[in-house]
């Protein structure tokens, strides 16, 4: 099972929030619905914060990320339980 996903925000075939929506809605199998997922950015995308929150993003990592920053984000994400809400995830409008 996949426990963590760290991906680039900007990818050739979409973006990190689209990947998160795909994972959270169960479109990808056999990936569980609640892995920790971090879109990795070169800058912080303040305009996507609302969409990220609606999809229960685990955190925001800004490049260059150190082991310490990743560890801190992981500890913080583990302390926050999410309740899977597929209909809410499906309704999120993404760029």
């Amino acid at each position: 099972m996949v426990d963590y996903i760290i991906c680039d925000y900007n990818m050739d075939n979409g973006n990190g929030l689209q990947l998160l929506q795909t994972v959270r809605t169960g479109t990808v199998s056999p990936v569980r619905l609640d892995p920790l997922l971090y879109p990795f950015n070169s800058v912080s995308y303040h305009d996507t914060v609302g969409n990220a929150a609606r999809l229960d993003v685990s955190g925001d990592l800004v490049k260059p990320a150190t082991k310490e920053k990743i560890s801190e984000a992981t500890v913080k994400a583990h302390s926050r339980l999410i309740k899977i809400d597929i209909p809410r995830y499906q309704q999120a409008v993404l760029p």
Side-chain angles (χ1 to χ4, degrees):
M1 269 302 161
V2 175
D3 294 319
Y4 302 90
I5 299 172
I6 298 176
C7 64
D8 204 331
Y9 179 82
N10 293 309
M11 298 181 281
D12 291 339
N13 295 319
N15 64 50
L17 293 182
Q18 291 166 335
L19 174 62
L20 179 57
Q21 185 178 46
T22 299
V23 169
R24 292 283 192 252
T25 58
T27 306
V28 178
S29 73
V31 177
R32 54 193 260 191
L33 301 178
D34 64 344
L36 300 182
L37 195 143
Y38 304 94
F40 201 49
N41 306 305
S42 56
V43 295
S44 186
Y45 288 93
H46 297 290
D47 57 334
T48 63
V49 170
N51 285 325
R54 280 187 283 285
L55 294 169
D56 290 322
V57 72
S58 302
D60 184 31
L61 295 173
V62 178
K63 296 176 186 176
T66 62
K67 289 180 192 178
E68 292 79 19
K69 286 181 184 178
I70 294 171
S71 178
E72 287 173 21
T74 300
V75 168
K76 184 177 179 181
H78 274 294
S79 69
R80 181 175 82 80
L81 296 175
I82 65 169
K83 181 180 179 193
I84 299 299
D85 186 349
I86 293 174
R88 180 173 47 111
Y89 302 146
Q90 290 171 329
Q91 292 174 3
V93 177
L94 303 179

